[in-house]
């Protein structure tokens, strides 16, 4: 089983530039930055034997491995893309959304909360 932690941050960012005619321009971009981190895991088995097989009891997640990133995080004051000779600077950047989580073999694992029963109060 392969575990990864994946996240995507979406930004709304404004690039300010000067056109060839010397006019100031602004363009808002939707910018995505994704990160995938390998999770080091090993199978945990119970030593009890059932028909010669160990009982599977889960996984031990033991840390992080390689990180792969795609996209850039827009930073105010840093260069932003433009037409040749018209590069500009990011003048605003807002994080719009952030999604992600722990994946097993490419499937997002969801957390189901366990609700403890209410204590019985003798009265």
């Amino acid at each position: 089983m392969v575990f990864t932690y994946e996240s995507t941050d979406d930004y709304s960012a404004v690039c300010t530039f000067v056109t060839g005619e010397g006019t100031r321009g602004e363009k808002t971009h939707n910018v995505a930055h994704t990160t995938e981190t390998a999770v080091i895991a090993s199978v945990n088995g119970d030593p009890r034997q059932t028909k010669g097989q160990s009982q599977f009891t889960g996984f031990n997640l033991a840390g992080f491995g390689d990180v792969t990133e795609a996209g850039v995080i827009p930073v105010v004051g840093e260069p932003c893309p433009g037409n040749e000779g018209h590069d500009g600077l990011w003048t605003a950047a807002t994080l719009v959304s952030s999604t992600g989580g722990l994946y097993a073999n490419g499937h997002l694992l969801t957390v189901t909360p366990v609700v403890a029963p209410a204590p019985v109060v003798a009265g």
Side-chain angles (χ1 to χ4, degrees):
M1 181 142 320
V2 176
F3 289 93
T4 57
Y5 184 84
E6 300 174 18
S7 66
T8 299
D9 295 331
D10 293 308
Y11 296 87
S12 176
V14 177
C15 181
T16 301
F17 54 91
V18 177
T19 67
E21 294 78 38
T23 353
R24 183 173 179 247
E26 283 189 350
K27 180 163 172 88
T28 300
H29 297 266
N30 295 318
V31 181
H33 178 262
T34 59
T35 304
E36 181 178 296
T37 305
V39 178
I40 300 164
S42 61
V43 175
N44 188 16
D46 189 318
R48 293 178 291 161
Q49 298 293 312
T50 303
K51 296 182 183 177
Q53 306 241 341
S54 293
Q55 295 292 308
F56 171 77
T57 59
F59 294 90
N60 293 318
L61 303 180
F64 298 105
D66 294 335
V67 176
T68 304
E69 294 186 62
V72 295
I73 299 172
V75 176
V76 173
E78 293 288 321
C80 55
N83 295 330
E84 188 174 328
H86 302 281
D87 292 337
L89 296 177
W90 294 118
T91 53
T94 304
L95 178 63
V96 176
S97 68
S98 187
T99 58
L102 182 64
Y103 288 75
N105 287 346
H107 298 281
L108 178 63
L109 301 178
T110 56
V111 178
T112 305
V114 177
V115 179
V120 177
V121 179

